[in-house]
Amino acid sequence: MALAEGTSVISVDLPYDNYNLQLRGADIVSRDLQLQRVGTELRGRALGSVAQLTLKKDGVSGAVGTSPVNLKVRTEGDTLLAEGGFIDGPVTLRFSPKELHVYISQCRYELAFAQGVYEGRRSCDSRLLPPVRFSVPPDLRERSPAEQAALLLFALAPAAK
């Protein structure tokens, strides 16, 4: 299936699963997400529940179903940092052109950037399994830090289940 013009994709390749998160302007679509950015909010469905998040300069707040989202977001140079609560519990995220480190749903991702993709292991897998591969479109960095953090965490949330 061809992607519509102007569609960017976050691609997640796990040992037993793979999927894409399509970024079509204000629309974010995957098998688990149907979100739309309206002003400073992300609204729609996420992971089987209604989602409404507010994107602020220094964070993301709101809820997915009855689960709260309360992230603090900041940048240090070219690195995006986020920490707080996201759906199922505490999360941390460090995203830069060289690395992606995420803790979500008791899984830790330690991915390094090489040859156009972030690749490495996650702590909730056996060391014998193939590595996780995660690709991010260059235009993701054009979105606000709060939206970047929310989209990266939404991309990994189904994988950590």
Side-chain angles (χ1 to χ4, degrees):
M1 178 170 89
L3 294 174
E5 189 174 325
T7 299
S8 297
V9 175
I10 296 174
S11 178
V12 182
D13 188 10
L14 304 167
Y16 296 111
D17 195 10
N18 60 50
Y19 53 91
N20 294 325
L21 186 90
Q22 296 179 24
L23 310 177
R24 303 177 190 156
D27 296 325
I28 299 101
V29 180
S30 77
R31 67 181 184 202
D32 296 309
L33 298 172
Q34 298 82 40
L35 296 172
Q36 184 174 44
R37 186 181 61 245
V38 179
T40 60
E41 291 188 343
L42 288 177
R43 299 179 192 165
R45 294 198 58 79
L47 309 170
S49 298
V50 172
Q52 186 163 356
L53 303 180
T54 301
L55 306 171
K56 300 176 273 190
K57 182 179 179 181
D58 63 348
V60 181
S61 62
V64 176
T66 58
S67 300
V69 172
N70 187 13
L71 290 175
K72 300 254 187 256
V73 178
R74 69 184 195 283
T75 56
E76 290 180 1
D78 64 358
T79 301
L80 171 68
L81 302 162
E83 63 184 340
F86 190 81
I87 305 173
D88 288 335
V91 297
T92 59
L93 176 139
R94 186 171 70 237
F95 172 57
S96 77
K98 295 180 182 178
E99 63 185 7
L100 175 62
H101 296 276
V102 178
Y103 176 79
I104 184 170
S105 297
Q106 300 183 15
C107 285
R108 185 171 308 281
Y109 294 80
E110 302 288 338
L111 311 178
F113 189 79
Q115 300 178 340
V117 67
Y118 293 88
E119 185 172 339
R121 303 258 178 227
R122 65 181 184 167
S123 65
C124 52
D125 283 334
S126 160
R127 292 288 177 195
L128 301 176
L129 292 175
V132 170
R133 294 173 55 88
F134 190 86
S135 66
V136 178
D139 61 339
L140 178 69
R141 291 268 186 187
E142 296 170 12
R143 295 173 184 251
S144 74
E147 187 173 2
Q148 289 178 54
L151 295 178
L152 291 168
L153 292 171
F154 271 130
L156 289 173
K161 295 273 181 212

